[in-house]
Amino acid sequence: MKERLSNISRKQVSEFIINNSLYILLGLFILVVAIMQPRFLSINSIINVLTQTAFRLPIALGIGGIIVLTGTDLSAGRIIGLVAVITASLLQRSDYPSKMFPALGNVPIFGVLILVMFIGGLIGLFNGFFVAKFKLHPFIVTLSTQLIVYAISLQYISLGTNAGKPIGGLRPDFSNAVTGEMFRIFGVKVQFLVLYAVVALIVMWFVWNKTVIGKNMFAVGSNPDAATVSGISVNKTIMLVFLIAGVLYGLNGFLTSAYVGSNNAATGVNFELDAIAACVIGGVSFSGGVGKIKGILLGVFLLQLITVSFVFLGIDANLQYAIKGFVILFATAIDMRKYLVRR
């Protein structure tokens, strides 16, 4: 009996180590960086990581829901870029010499936020419609949308007097609403950007855990046929999830516009790749029906922590892409192993 219990215990420990091996390795890596560079865990560095996490969180929350449906979204970064240039063009200073639309007065900031979230949601719904109605794979649909949205961005920045130049000269009240000081921790500024991310996090936690949309999303992601038999509208659920994702991209684009300061058609490029990586690191499974909001938050935080650690270690920028690639590959392999065990 003792031997049997010992074998069970060893098996459980082994399973725990394998299932959490990515977090263990990341933890060891962070510990090594902290030992080599003590400033890595300074309050200034930690606040910087939190700010970067807040900046990247909305897009990850949007893509996370699509991954729960066993899909992905390659258009997210380009949607953010389009929204960012639209936001910047509407919220330039009236005295800016290269103002894109000189005749445009002071547009309300909140009105612009609602507008760009609507635009993001509309594009997300466009993606969801083709995925749901035509049974196309999200990879193909969002790849097509990525190219379409990029073309729209290129055309948009050529409007007015801009002639394709980066759009800068943002109004101080807009910049302060995003990157301004909310409060200080030990003398280090915490930006309003963090507040937007916290609100998005709370709303999405509620949607995932306390609403019919969230319940249906996990049901469809786990088994769409069983969900249909249960009376769930699979097509409606898919479109709603893509719609919500688009709204979150709109929010992220609004924040990006102020955070970057000078926006062009290249703004937001590859944002979706980091978001997908963060979701996978956070335990959102491509096998469908598995994922938690806290996991996405942890994934985004860890990915930004790794990115900041590269700076402290002086790792070549080109090599950073390779390391991130291996992290994604390793995380996906672990995810697939968990899926096979569940089966």
Side-chain angles (χ1 to χ4, degrees):
M1 177 66 74
K2 281 186 178 181
E3 185 178 348
R4 185 178 178 184
L5 289 173
S6 178
N7 289 334
I8 294 173
S9 179
R10 281 198 295 269
K11 184 179 179 181
Q12 289 175 337
V13 170
S14 176
E15 285 290 326
F16 177 82
I17 292 174
I18 292 173
N19 291 337
N20 295 278
S21 55
L22 180 63
Y23 296 122
I24 294 170
L25 289 174
L26 290 176
L28 290 173
F29 173 74
I30 291 166
L31 180 62
V32 170
V33 176
I35 292 172
M36 294 176 63
Q37 297 287 344
R39 291 187 301 111
F40 176 60
L41 293 181
S42 66
I43 185 65
N44 193 60
S45 177
I46 292 172
I47 295 299
N48 179 45
V49 173
L50 288 175
T51 302
Q52 293 291 332
T53 299
F55 176 57
R56 298 282 187 168
L57 187 58
I59 181 176
L61 292 172
I63 287 181
I66 296 172
I67 294 177
V68 169
L69 293 177
T70 70
T72 189
D73 192 343
L74 299 181
S75 66
R78 293 297 188 183
I79 296 172
I80 286 174
L82 174 62
V83 166
V85 295
I86 291 174
T87 301
S89 69
L90 297 178
L91 294 174
Q92 287 181 296
R93 300 195 319 265
S94 57
D95 62 343
Y96 188 61
S98 301
K99 186 174 171 63
M100 189 168 176
F101 302 117
L104 189 67
N106 279 348
V107 182
I109 296 174
F110 185 71
V112 174
L113 173 59
I114 296 300
L115 173 65
V116 295
M117 288 175 72
F118 175 78
I119 292 171
L122 199 61
I123 300 173
L125 187 61
F126 175 86
N127 284 333
F129 174 79
F130 278 92
V131 171
K133 294 295 184 181
F134 295 97
K135 310 302 178 187
L136 299 176
H137 195 283
F139 181 93
I140 299 299
V141 174
T142 58
L143 176 61
S144 303
T145 306
Q146 179 192 79
L147 299 173
I148 295 169
V149 172
Y150 182 47
I152 295 172
S153 297
L154 290 171
Q155 291 297 317
Y156 186 84
I157 62 173
S158 299
L159 296 176
T161 62
N162 198 58
K165 298 190 298 292
I167 306 172
L170 302 181
R171 283 163 37 189
D173 56 341
F174 169 51
S175 297
N176 289 334
V178 177
T179 60
E181 180 182 322
M182 185 165 59
F183 56 81
R184 287 181 176 265
I185 297 178
F186 298 107
V188 181
K189 182 178 80 169
V190 177
Q191 300 177 9
F192 281 105
L193 174 68
V194 176
L195 177 62
Y196 289 96
V198 169
V199 171
L201 186 73
I202 293 171
V203 170
M204 290 310 298
W205 179 90
F206 183 81
V207 170
W208 278 35
N209 297 282
K210 301 295 181 180
T211 68
V212 175
I213 297 173
K215 175 186 172 184
N216 291 349
M217 177 183 74
F218 283 102
V220 172
S222 297
N223 191 327
D225 293 330
T228 301
V229 171
S230 301
I232 296 172
S233 174
V234 173
N235 288 352
K236 181 180 177 182
T237 300
I238 291 172
M239 287 191 286
L240 281 173
V241 171
F242 272 94
L243 170 64
I244 292 170
V247 170
L248 287 165
Y249 304 156
L251 170 62
N252 216 145
F254 177 84
L255 301 178
T256 299
S257 183
Y259 192 79
V260 172
S262 180
N263 299 270
N264 56 39
T267 301
V269 171
N270 292 334
F271 276 23
E272 70 277 0
L273 301 183
D274 277 354
I276 292 169
C279 289
V280 174
I281 291 171
V284 183
S285 176
F286 272 105
S287 61
V290 176
K292 293 182 178 179
I293 292 295
K294 66 179 181 182
I296 296 175
L297 174 62
L298 178 61
V300 175
F301 177 76
L302 286 175
L303 193 62
Q304 296 312 309
L305 203 60
I306 293 169
T307 302
V308 172
S309 71
F310 289 158
V311 177
F312 277 90
L313 294 176
I315 296 176
D316 183 80
N318 296 327
L319 187 58
Q320 293 179 21
Y321 290 107
I323 296 173
K324 282 185 181 180
F326 278 115
V327 170
I328 296 169
L329 189 62
F330 190 58
T332 307
I334 293 173
D335 171 58
M336 183 53 65
R337 185 188 183 281
K338 292 177 182 177
Y339 171 67
L340 293 173
V341 169
R342 286 198 302 270
R343 289 186 64 185

